[in-house]
């Protein structure tokens, strides 16, 4: 649809957003400008935030000085008093007489001016707030205390009570006066003495018209006075409002607050619980201030009634989708740039992708390039609609509000790409640092060295756009935590706007049927500055009793009467001050500065900033802002101190070698391609580039010189031949090569580690004791180059001589809990990946696998000993007691931010006591983390709990049980306990798996259940769960030795109404996504493939639990495929025996060679019917 592109994004369906299109002409022109604006804001975020805050504070002061909040009734500020003409504009004209049938009839202003036959009266109502109660500190004047000039015909009328009088505690006096005498009467009402009887402290207090009080200067009570006036105006609005209008406003405010809640929930899903949503509100508030100051300076009158009525519907209809869209685009751009940096290569257009690390500012630029034009286009459409409303002839304040709203949206758009992007970049940078520090500390708690932990944290510090399940999320909105696609948002907006328009149409059409509004003539409006500023009052709500009195007098005298009901005039109790009061208590900044600083350009801004320090609101916000700035800078300083990395030299830096000393023995031959100048070793893209043979000539050094250089710490200056000779002689221990060659001033860390591996290979090859078998290692096909040993050294392996490439395949995709995954499997067993892939296809045909996590707790079982059995029993009773559990849990939890003790299980064997600690460990597998907590808890028990005679035999007493088959793991579980299930349609079993449901059920019972029981298996009630577990453990960096217990599995199959119901229960899957082999880059890539790399950003442990679910579902696929192959083989032989027909060939069925060959002669003679395949 051609016009769809001109609609705002939230009014277009979700499909339209996914259709790629070429950038338009405007897009090409506007996007670079937006990128330039946002780039400057993100490059200097603090400057941007401070500048915008200063402008906002100056605008706030300007609004106060301009008496904006006192201009709700413009008539109140004219000539230090009340202007009768302005009051008349807000009043109503009623006529009663013979020609109206002695009924009140509204009259237009022109008709009143030209009607000279009727008596024209003005009805004034004086309101004295908070004076109705008997115990009120202020008292309203009596009628006889009102000073009335003797030459005026003023009559006191009965006042009209209001349903809201108990709330506002107002006292009212009503008077009628001839219209031509009304100005003089108003002048005499400027101040009225307070009614006093015996209170001496009330002497001198007078009631003063609000508009007669000078509010031109800022005072300490400005905010309090404004709040009081706003509440009074709100109560007045309720007094004169229709019930339908009140319902509309209540719905509007309710919807506005729902919009605020939706904003916070949406930002919370993206990882910000408070700050981003609060920033959006601040940005909108600043836009409101800027729009308000511009509107008032252009002469458009704005009052609080208009703002209170219009702002809720502006918030609801416009909403906060644009900051949410920009935030999600920034997070998506950061993830995509990180992935592109990892992948490298070329894009779809053949352009080379920059693989260098991207900054957060780069992500903001990419997001602005992608979504900036759409956001600006939506703003432009909305501003155009509001501009059209401002230029229309619609009355009642709609034109002023449209004019104000257009300016608000303009500044909101400007602040979105400046103020908000600046705070967003700061927030993302803080999150990156926090994630970096958290991951590094978690790795250190798991036993990884600080240097390796720092390297791993550096490679995993970009933000992730995830949902509650840890899935990479598509742009969505959120209402009260419920995920709502953008296609659903327009429905909510359309319903709100449609309901608002419908109610107003009903309101408009019911105007002729309302009392008091009949034949009302609207006022003519010409020009922006002459529009109505306040809604007309309801005369019968304001002065019903007074009108009844005038009506009775007019009818009795049979004289037509016109009454102009003026809006109520508010009074405020005022105590006169001494003449010098203002000077004594005035503001420090209200003096007239003599210097010319405030007279030059920017002086008004400086003056506004100085005055803002005195404002009760801004002064507190300034203190809060300074405190937050101090805390933020302290946090960034500590983060920078935590993240100090090892010094790295530039690639071209070299160190001049010392003067070589010639030797007699080593000058004759020079080994081929011997690198002799390590100072020239360079580091390119993380890999060592070996120097050529012609670089330097260090073969002139003697053995003594070489040994002296090693003692002096100059071993890196030696060439490889010299280092190898010293290593073979034992002068440099083989295990200390990495430490000996580490010198950041000469070569990078990676270069020194790679060189140490090379030297060690030569040392092993030249060892005389093992030369018969190890002499070929140095030049073998075992690779050692192009590998990041920085993550290996001190963390994964010692005495490194290379790395083993292992074939890696992927099965799937497999649908697990509604999300599809490719399953990485590292194996050397043929057909394993293909078989698992076939199982994935069959499971997907049934809707995918469903998993349930039934337990999560890693265990460690230390052994402690006592001298006597009684003491061991006492310790067991104490540990099982509530006090013991509480004390041990407190001490254990104090050692880690992630490990949390769940339970302790004790068992005795003589005087030995075994304690099985079960704890959560976050996203780490956690054995080192638990061991540290166990040591701390046991030491506290021994020293502080009265068990000084206890001795710790071993931190691990095989009661865990780790890396050994054990019934306790099978029964109580260890690590993650997961059950996975799938229902395979019978048709899929027959056509795709080439088997039968009943045959599979029978095979599972006979093989996996009865067969394993016959063998006395513990946790081995499956076909080949260890195959899949091992392959995925190797691919994802898990501990391969823990396959022993992690592969414990029982496979269950049932006939479910003709379909196959298959499940696997695995009580002890021991996995983690941080620490151990997961810090290696290839293994991290596979974890990233599954979406579980590193720690979960918001809920520690979710990534490890998700990995366990994936492994269980993968085992389910492998079990299904292998059992189907075995069952199909049985069926083939049965058909051959009974039907004497040849077996049909099925090349797509992965059956093992042993099964295809059939039983051999010896097996036939022994009568064996079971295959040895598994």
């Amino acid at each position: 649809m051609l016009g769809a592109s001109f609609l705002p994004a939230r009014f277009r369906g979700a499909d339209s957003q996914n259709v790629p299109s070429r950038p338009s002409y405007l897009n090409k022109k506007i996007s670079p400008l937006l990128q330039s604006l946002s780039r400057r804001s993100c490059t200097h975020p603090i400057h941007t935030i401070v500048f915008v805050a200063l402008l906002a504070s100056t605008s706030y002061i300007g609004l106060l000085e301009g008496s904006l909040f006192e201009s709700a009734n413009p008539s109140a500020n004219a000539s230090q008093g009340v202007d009768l003409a302005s009051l008349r504009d807000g009043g109503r004209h009623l006529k009663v007489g013979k020609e109206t049938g002695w009924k009140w009839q509204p009259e237009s202003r022109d008709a009143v001016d030209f009607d000279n036959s009727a008596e024209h009266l003005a009805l004034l109502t004086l309101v004295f707030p908070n004076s109705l109660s008997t115990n009120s500190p202020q008292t309203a004047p009596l009628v006889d205390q009102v000073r009335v000039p003797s030459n005026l015909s003023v009559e006191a009328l009965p006042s009209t009570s209001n349903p809201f009088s108990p709330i506002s505690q107002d006292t009212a006096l009503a008077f009628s006066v001839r219209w031509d005498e009304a100005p003089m009467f108003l002048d005499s009402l400027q101040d009225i003495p307070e009614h006093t009887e015996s209170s001496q402290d009330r002497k001198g207090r007078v009631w003063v018209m609000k508009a007669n009080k000078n509010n031109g200067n800022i005072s300490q009570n400005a905010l309090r006075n404004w709040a009081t006036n706003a509440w009074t105006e709100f109560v007045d609005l309720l007094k004169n409002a229709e019930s339908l209008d009140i319902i509309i406003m209540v719905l509007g405010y309710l919807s506005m607050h729902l919009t605020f809640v939706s904003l916070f929930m949406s930002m919370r899903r993206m990882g910000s619980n408070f700050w981003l949503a609060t920033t959006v509100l601040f940005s909108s508030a600043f836009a409101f201030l800027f729009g308000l100051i511009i509107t008032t300076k252009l002469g458009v009158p704005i009052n609080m009634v208009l703002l209170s009525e219009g702002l809720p519907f502006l918030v609801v209809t416009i909403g906060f989708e644009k900051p949410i869209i920009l935030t999600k685009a920034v997070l998506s751009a950061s993830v995509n740039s990180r992935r592109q940096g990892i992948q490298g290569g070329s894009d779809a257009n053949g352009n080379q992708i920059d693989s260098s690390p991207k900054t957060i500012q780069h992500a903001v630029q990419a997001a602005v390039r992608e979504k900036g034009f759409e956001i600006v286009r939506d703003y432009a459409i909305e501003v155009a609609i509001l501009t059209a409303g401002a230029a229309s002839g619609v009355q009642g304040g709609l034109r002023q509000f449209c004019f104000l709203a257009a300016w608000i949206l303009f500044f909101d758009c400007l602040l979105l790409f400046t103020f908000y992007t600046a705070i967003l970049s700061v927030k993302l940078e803080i999150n990156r640092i926090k994630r970096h520090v958290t991951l590094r500390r978690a790795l250190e708690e798991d036993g990884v060295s600080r240097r390796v932990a720092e390297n791993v944290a550096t490679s995993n510090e970009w933000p992730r756009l995830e949902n509650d399940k840890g899935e990479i999320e598509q742009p969505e909105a959120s209402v009260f935590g419920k995920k709502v696609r953008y296609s659903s948002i327009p429905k909510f907006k359309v319903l709100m706007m449609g309901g608002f328009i419908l109610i107003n149409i009903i309101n408009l059409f019911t105007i002729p049927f309302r009392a008091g509004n009949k034949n009302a003539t609207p006022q003519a409006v010409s020009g922006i500055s002459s529009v109505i500023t306040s809604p007309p009052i309801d005369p019968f709500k304001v002065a019903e009793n007074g009108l009844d009195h005038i009506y009775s007098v007019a009818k009795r005298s049979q004289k037509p009467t016109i009454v102009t009901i003026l809006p109520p005039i508010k009074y405020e109790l005022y105590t006169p001050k001494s003449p010098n009061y203002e000077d004594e208590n005035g503001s420090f900044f209200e003096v007239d500065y003599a210097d010319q600083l405030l007279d030059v350009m920017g002086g008004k801004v400086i003056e506004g900033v100085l005055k803002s320090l005195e404002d009760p609101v801004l002064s507190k916000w300034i203190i809060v802002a300074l405190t937050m700035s101090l805390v933020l800078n302290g946090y960034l300083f500590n983060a920078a101190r935590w993240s100090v990395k090892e010094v790295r030299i530039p690639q071209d830096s070299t160190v001049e070698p010392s003067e070589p000393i010639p030797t007699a023995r080593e000058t004759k031959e020079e080994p081929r391609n011997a690198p002799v100048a390590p100072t020239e070793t360079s580091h390119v893209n993380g890999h060592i580039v070996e120097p050529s043979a012609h670089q330097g000539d260090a073969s002139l050094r003697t053995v003594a010189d070489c040994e002296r250089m090693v003692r002096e710490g100059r071993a890196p200056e030696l060439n490889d031949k010299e280092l190898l000779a010293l290593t073979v002689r034992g002068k440099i221990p083989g295990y200390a090569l990495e430490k000996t060659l580490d010198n950041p001033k000469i070569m990078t860390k990676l270069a020194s580690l790679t060189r140490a591996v090379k030297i060690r290979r030569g040392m092993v090859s030249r060892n005389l004791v093992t030369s018969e078998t190890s002499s070929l290692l140095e030049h073998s096909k075992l690779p050692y180059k192009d590998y990041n040993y920085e993550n290996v050294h001190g963390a994964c392996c010692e005495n490194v001589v290379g790395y083993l490439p292992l074939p890696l395949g992927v099965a799937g995709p497999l649908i697990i809990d509604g999300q599809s995954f490719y399953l990485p499997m590292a194996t050397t067993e043929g057909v394993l990946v293909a078989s698992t892939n076939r199982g994935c296809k069959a499971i997907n045909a049934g809707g995918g696998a469903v998993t349930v996590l039934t337990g999560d707790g890693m265990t460690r079982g230390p052994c402690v000993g006592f001298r006597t059995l009684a003491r061991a029993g006492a310790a067991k009773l104490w540990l099982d007691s509530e006090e013991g559990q509480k004390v041990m849990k407190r001490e254990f939890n104090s050692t880690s931010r992630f490990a949390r003790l769940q339970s302790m299980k004790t068992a005795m064997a003589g005087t030995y006591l075994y304690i099985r600690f079960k704890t959560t460990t976050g996203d780490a597998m956690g054995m080192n983390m638990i061991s540290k907590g166990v040591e701390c808890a046991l030491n506290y028990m021994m020293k502080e709990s009265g068990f000084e005679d206890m001795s710790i035999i071993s931190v691990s007493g095989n009661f865990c049980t780790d890396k050994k088959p054990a019934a306790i793991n099978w029964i109580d579980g260890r690590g993650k306990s997961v059950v996975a299930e799938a229902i395979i349609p019978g048709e899929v079993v027959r056509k795709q798996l080439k088997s039968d449901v009943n045959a599979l059920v029978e095979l599972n019972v006979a093989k996996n259940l009865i067969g394993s029981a016959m063998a006395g298996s513990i946790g081995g009630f499956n076909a080949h769960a260890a195959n899949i577990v091992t392959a995925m453990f190797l691919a994802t960096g898990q501990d391969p030795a823990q396959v022993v217990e992690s592969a414990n599995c029982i496979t269950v199959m049932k006939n479910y109404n003709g379909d196959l119901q298959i499940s696997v229960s695995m009580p002890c899957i021991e996995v983690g996504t941080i620490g151990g082999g997961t810090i290696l880059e290839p293994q991290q890539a596979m974890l990233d493939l599954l979406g579980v790399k590193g720690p979960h950003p918001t809920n520690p442990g979710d990534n490890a639990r998700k990995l366990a679910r994936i492994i269980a579902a993968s085992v389910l696929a492998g079990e299904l495929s292998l059992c189907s192959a075995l069952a199909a083989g049985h069926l083939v032989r049965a058909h051959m025996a009974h039907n004497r027909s040849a077996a049909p060939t099925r090349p797509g069925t992965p059956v093992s060679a042993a099964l295809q060959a059939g039983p051999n002669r010896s097996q036939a003679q022994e009568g064996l019917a079971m295959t040895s395949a598994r």
Side-chain angles (χ1 to χ4, degrees):
M1 180 178 174
L2 181 61
S5 60
F6 295 99
L7 293 174
R10 62 183 176 281
F11 293 111
R12 298 193 297 269
D15 297 337
S16 62
Q17 297 181 7
N18 299 327
V19 178
S21 59
R22 300 180 62 182
S24 62
Y25 174 79
L26 290 177
N27 193 346
K28 295 179 180 178
K29 296 296 182 181
I30 294 177
S31 293
L33 297 178
L34 296 177
Q35 287 182 285
S36 176
L37 188 64
S38 61
R39 180 172 59 252
R40 285 172 170 79
S41 301
C42 294
T43 306
H44 307 286
I46 304 301
H47 302 75
T48 303
I49 296 170
V50 171
F51 179 73
V52 173
L54 285 177
L55 286 182
S57 63
T58 305
S59 301
Y60 171 74
I61 298 300
L63 290 174
L64 291 182
E65 289 183 337
S67 299
L68 169 75
F69 301 119
E70 295 294 338
S71 63
N73 188 0
S75 63
N77 293 327
S79 303
Q80 299 294 324
V82 177
D83 183 14
L84 181 62
S86 301
L87 283 176
R88 186 181 183 186
D89 291 339
R92 297 293 298 272
H93 307 282
L94 298 179
K95 182 178 181 180
V96 65
K98 185 181 296 184
E99 59 187 39
T100 65
W102 294 105
K103 293 182 179 180
W104 289 112
Q105 176 178 317
E107 289 287 326
S108 65
R109 181 171 180 173
D110 295 336
V112 171
D113 292 338
F114 287 101
D115 191 349
N116 299 322
S117 61
E119 182 182 10
H120 192 184
L121 300 178
L123 196 156
L124 292 83
T125 303
L126 312 182
V127 179
F128 305 91
N130 197 21
S131 60
L132 184 62
S133 177
T134 56
N135 57 357
S136 175
Q138 51 194 30
T139 307
L142 301 178
V143 175
D144 54 3
Q145 289 182 285
V146 179
R147 294 189 297 268
V148 179
S150 57
N151 59 339
L152 300 183
S153 56
V154 179
E155 182 182 5
L157 301 177
S159 59
T160 302
S161 61
N162 191 279
F164 292 93
S165 295
I167 300 177
S168 58
Q169 295 291 316
D170 293 346
T171 301
L173 298 178
F175 298 91
S176 65
V177 63
R178 293 177 55 86
W179 178 254
D180 53 355
E181 299 175 355
M184 297 178 59
F185 184 52
L186 277 177
D187 291 339
S188 65
L189 297 177
Q190 297 299 323
D191 55 86
I192 303 174
E194 183 187 17
H195 172 65
T196 59
E197 294 180 355
S198 59
S199 300
Q200 299 297 324
D201 56 338
R202 296 181 181 178
K203 289 184 178 181
R205 296 201 303 183
V206 295
W207 289 98
V208 182
M209 286 186 185
K210 279 191 174 183
N212 195 36
K213 192 174 180 180
N214 184 15
N215 295 316
N217 297 325
I218 303 175
S219 66
Q220 295 294 336
N221 297 322
L223 182 63
R224 184 184 308 169
N225 294 336
W226 172 83
T228 303
N229 295 338
W231 170 250
T232 304
E233 292 173 1
F234 174 72
V235 173
D236 292 341
L237 181 63
L238 291 180
K239 291 178 182 178
N240 301 304
E242 296 289 340
S243 300
L244 188 59
D245 295 333
I246 295 177
I247 294 175
I248 294 175
M249 291 307 303
V250 170
L251 292 177
Y253 274 95
L254 179 61
S255 301
M256 180 180 70
H257 287 87
L258 294 184
T259 306
F260 293 152
V261 173
S262 175
L263 169 66
F264 276 89
M265 296 300 295
S266 299
M267 290 300 184
R268 184 176 182 180
R269 274 196 313 106
M270 290 185 287
S272 175
N273 294 331
F274 176 77
W275 289 111
L276 288 185
T278 305
T279 300
V280 173
L281 296 182
F282 268 105
S283 179
S284 300
F286 290 165
F288 170 72
L289 286 177
F290 296 152
L292 201 57
I293 192 69
I294 292 295
T295 304
T296 54
K297 293 302 181 183
L298 292 178
V300 179
I302 299 295
N303 57 63
M304 292 304 300
V305 175
L306 192 62
L307 293 178
S308 63
E309 291 180 348
L311 282 180
F313 297 99
L314 178 66
V315 172
V316 172
T317 53
I318 301 303
F320 301 104
E321 284 85 7
K322 300 178 186 68
I324 295 174
I325 291 173
L326 183 62
T327 304
K328 290 188 175 182
V330 171
L331 296 180
S332 299
S334 66
V335 173
N336 293 335
S337 62
R338 174 175 171 268
R339 288 179 173 175
Q340 291 178 0
I342 294 174
Q343 295 170 358
S346 303
D347 57 14
N349 299 326
N351 300 323
Q352 189 70 21
I353 298 177
D354 184 14
S355 60
S356 59
K358 303 299 191 302
T359 61
I360 291 176
Q361 287 76 12
H362 178 273
V364 173
Q365 291 295 295
V368 172
R369 181 175 62 251
E370 179 184 0
K371 296 292 184 180
F373 175 74
E374 296 180 8
I375 294 175
V376 172
R377 180 184 59 192
D378 290 353
Y379 272 117
I381 294 173
E382 292 160 355
V383 170
I385 294 174
L386 292 171
T387 304
S392 66
V394 180
Q395 302 182 34
L398 180 62
R399 296 179 61 190
Q400 306 100 296
F401 185 76
C402 288
F403 188 80
L404 170 63
W407 279 108
I408 292 176
L409 290 184
F410 170 77
F411 286 110
D412 192 52
C413 178
L414 185 63
L415 293 177
L416 177 63
F417 293 101
T418 53
F419 179 75
Y420 180 73
T421 54
I423 293 187
L424 179 61
S425 63
V426 173
K427 171 65 177 175
L428 292 179
E429 184 67 22
I430 292 175
N431 285 352
R432 183 193 65 81
I433 295 174
K434 185 178 179 180
R435 181 182 177 87
H436 178 102
V437 173
T438 301
L439 177 56
R440 181 180 58 77
R441 287 181 170 180
L443 291 172
E444 290 179 352
E445 288 182 6
D446 200 45
V448 180
S449 66
R450 183 184 181 89
R451 179 187 54 79
V452 177
E454 179 69 27
N455 293 336
V456 174
T458 303
S459 64
N460 192 29
E461 55 188 21
W462 276 96
R464 301 175 66 86
L465 184 62
E466 298 180 346
N467 59 16
D468 296 337
K469 296 181 179 180
E471 304 165 0
I472 299 299
E473 189 178 85
Q474 298 299 324
E476 297 176 348
S478 176
V479 180
F480 304 121
K482 179 181 179 181
K483 298 185 181 68
V484 182
R485 293 282 179 179
Y486 281 131
S487 59
S488 302
I489 292 178
K491 299 177 183 177
F492 174 74
K493 298 294 184 182
V494 170
L495 287 176
M496 283 300 307
M497 295 179 64
F500 171 65
I501 294 173
L502 179 62
I503 293 176
N504 278 274
I505 291 176
I506 296 174
N507 194 11
L508 182 65
F509 279 102
T510 56
I511 287 177
F513 305 100
R514 299 181 192 171
N517 288 340
K518 201 170 186 179
N519 300 326
T521 304
Q523 298 179 352
V525 180
S526 60
I528 292 179
S529 61
S530 63
V531 293
I532 302 174
T533 59
S534 61
I537 63 173
D538 187 341
F540 293 98
K541 288 188 176 182
V542 173
E544 182 178 5
N545 294 338
L547 289 174
D548 291 343
H549 178 78
I550 295 174
Y551 173 83
S552 61
V553 173
K555 189 172 183 180
R556 187 169 54 248
S557 62
Q558 293 292 311
K559 185 176 182 180
T561 304
I562 296 176
V563 181
T564 298
I565 300 92
L566 300 178
I569 301 174
K570 294 299 181 76
Y571 280 79
E572 184 177 4
L573 194 62
Y574 181 68
T575 303
K577 302 296 189 301
S578 61
N580 297 328
Y581 176 78
E582 293 294 336
D583 294 335
E584 295 172 358
N585 300 278
S587 169
F588 172 77
F589 296 112
E590 290 175 3
V591 298
D592 188 11
Y593 289 92
D595 62 81
Q596 300 180 356
L597 175 64
L598 301 180
D599 295 332
V600 299
M601 182 177 297
K604 293 295 183 182
V605 176
I606 298 176
E607 184 180 10
V609 173
L610 294 177
K611 288 185 177 182
S612 67
L613 297 177
E614 187 187 49
D615 186 85
V617 175
L618 290 181
S619 60
K620 294 179 177 60
W621 276 110
I622 290 173
I623 294 175
V624 173
L626 291 176
T627 304
M628 290 179 56
S629 176
L630 181 63
V631 173
L632 178 61
N633 281 278
Y635 179 82
L636 294 177
F637 175 79
N638 289 331
R641 179 171 55 83
W642 294 332
S643 302
V644 173
K645 299 181 181 180
E646 297 180 355
V647 181
R648 295 183 180 273
I649 59 171
Q651 297 179 7
D652 56 351
S653 61
T654 58
V655 176
E656 293 295 332
S658 58
E659 188 67 24
I661 301 176
T663 62
R665 188 178 60 177
E666 297 183 354
T667 55
K668 296 184 180 179
E669 345 179 43
E670 192 70 31
R672 183 175 55 184
N673 295 334
V676 294
T679 57
E680 299 296 329
T681 304
S682 60
H683 188 228
V684 179
N685 294 332
H687 306 301
I688 185 172
V689 178
E690 295 200 21
S692 58
H694 67 276
Q695 292 178 339
D697 184 10
S699 60
L700 301 179
R701 279 190 284 262
T702 63
V703 175
D705 292 334
C706 294
E707 294 178 357
R708 176 178 53 80
M709 292 176 67
V710 171
R711 289 192 299 269
E712 294 174 354
R714 298 169 55 195
E717 299 180 18
L718 301 173
N719 60 34
D720 290 351
K721 181 179 178 181
E722 293 167 338
L723 288 172
L724 183 57
L726 292 174
T727 306
V728 172
R729 294 190 185 100
K731 301 301 181 180
I732 301 177
Y735 63 85
L737 281 170
E738 286 81 3
K739 181 179 180 181
T740 304
L741 298 179
D742 186 16
N743 191 338
K745 297 180 179 180
I746 295 180
M747 65 180 67
T748 63
K749 183 71 176 181
L750 179 58
S752 64
L753 293 175
T754 306
R755 191 180 185 200
V757 172
K758 180 182 179 183
I759 301 300
R760 185 177 292 112
R761 289 162 64 98
M763 179 197 70
V764 173
S765 298
R766 288 166 173 76
N767 191 307
L768 298 179
V769 179
T770 62
S771 61
E772 184 178 350
T773 57
S774 63
S775 59
L776 300 178
L777 176 63
E778 183 177 12
H779 301 291
S780 67
K781 292 187 178 181
L782 175 69
Y784 74 94
K785 300 179 182 179
D786 302 327
Y787 195 79
N788 187 3
Y789 293 103
E790 291 187 78
N791 293 344
V792 177
H793 180 61
C796 296
C797 188
E798 299 77 30
N799 290 338
V800 181
V801 294
Y803 58 92
L804 283 173
L806 192 63
L808 178 72
V810 291
L814 174 61
I815 301 175
I816 306 173
D817 297 326
Q819 185 179 1
S820 296
F821 296 93
Y822 274 106
L823 311 176
M825 302 175 66
T827 181
T828 56
E829 181 178 354
V831 191
L832 177 62
V833 176
S835 177
T836 308
N837 190 72
R838 186 177 72 141
C840 294
K841 185 177 180 181
I843 292 175
N844 291 343
V850 178
T851 64
V852 175
L853 187 80
T854 61
D856 181 9
M858 182 54 65
T859 62
R860 174 62 85 191
C863 174
V864 297
F866 294 87
R867 293 181 181 273
T868 64
L869 181 63
R871 290 295 294 164
K876 174 177 171 58
L877 292 177
W878 184 81
L879 288 171
D880 293 339
S881 68
E882 183 178 352
E883 179 189 358
Q885 296 275 340
K886 182 179 179 180
V887 170
M888 298 294 281
K889 181 175 294 187
R890 184 189 68 233
E891 294 304 315
F892 183 95
N893 294 345
S894 66
T895 61
S896 173
R897 295 178 300 156
F898 302 100
R900 292 295 178 265
L901 182 60
Q902 294 177 334
S903 63
M904 292 185 299
K905 183 176 183 178
T906 58
M908 287 179 57
T911 58
Y912 295 114
L913 179 63
Y914 297 86
I915 312 166
R916 193 171 193 255
F917 289 77
K918 189 172 185 179
T919 74
T920 59
T921 56
D923 284 303
M925 190 273 292
M927 291 305 301
N928 295 328
M929 192 184 301
I930 298 178
S931 298
K932 183 170 61 174
V934 167
E935 285 185 344
C936 178
L938 292 179
N939 287 329
Y940 185 88
M941 175 183 174
M942 183 171 56
K943 297 177 182 179
E944 305 293 338
S945 301
F947 297 98
E948 293 81 2
D949 56 338
M950 183 182 78
S951 60
I952 301 175
I953 306 300
S954 174
V955 174
S956 177
N958 279 6
F959 194 52
C960 314
T961 296
D962 186 34
K963 301 173 184 176
K964 291 167 283 291
I968 193 170
N969 290 343
W970 176 246
I971 297 171
D972 289 346
R974 188 170 192 258
K976 276 68 176 173
S977 301
V978 184
V979 180
E981 180 201 55
I983 297 178
I984 316 301
E987 190 71 14
V988 175
V989 174
R990 288 188 295 272
K991 292 186 176 180
Q992 185 173 327
L993 299 178
K994 305 297 188 295
S995 184
D996 180 75
V997 174
N998 292 327
L1000 282 172
V1001 173
E1002 181 183 5
L1003 179 137
N1004 182 70
V1005 172
K1007 171 184 170 60
N1008 294 336
L1009 303 184
I1010 299 177
S1012 298
M1014 293 289 292
S1017 176
I1018 298 178
F1021 302 93
N1022 57 81
H1024 70 149
N1027 248 338
I1028 287 84
V1029 172
T1030 303
M1032 296 201 69
F1033 268 37
L1034 292 174
T1036 57
Q1038 310 304 316
D1039 190 343
Q1042 290 183 325
V1043 173
V1044 174
E1045 60 266 36
S1046 296
N1048 284 354
C1049 171
I1050 181 170
T1051 303
V1052 179
M1053 296 186 187
K1054 295 180 181 179
N1055 189 324
Y1056 184 78
N1057 298 328
D1059 298 333
L1060 177 66
Q1061 184 182 39
I1062 178 173
S1063 65
V1064 293
S1065 300
M1066 307 181 69
C1068 34
I1069 302 178
E1070 300 169 3
V1071 293
T1073 58
I1074 61 174
T1078 64
I1079 67 175
L1080 302 178
E1081 293 174 347
Q1083 283 77 3
Q1084 281 189 345
M1086 294 303 98
L1087 291 173
D1088 212 10
L1089 176 69
L1090 298 174
V1092 295
K1093 176 183 176 182
H1096 193 275
T1098 57
N1099 191 13
D1102 275 4
N1103 278 355
R1105 288 187 283 267
K1106 184 176 179 180
L1107 178 59
R1109 292 173 183 267
I1110 294 172
I1111 292 176
S1114 305
V1115 171
L1116 184 70
E1119 291 287 287
L1120 175 64
S1121 181
L1122 178 59
C1123 290
S1124 299
L1126 294 174
H1130 292 168
L1131 288 175
V1132 169
R1133 289 198 297 273
H1135 279 293
M1136 291 179 64
H1138 291 86
N1139 299 332
R1140 299 183 182 276
S1141 58
T1145 59
R1146 294 185 303 277
T1149 303
V1151 182
S1152 65
L1155 183 61
Q1156 291 178 349
N1160 55 33
R1161 180 174 301 176
S1162 61
Q1163 290 174 335
Q1165 292 175 352
E1166 295 174 2
L1168 298 178
M1170 296 179 61
T1171 178
S1172 60
R1174 293 285 181 266

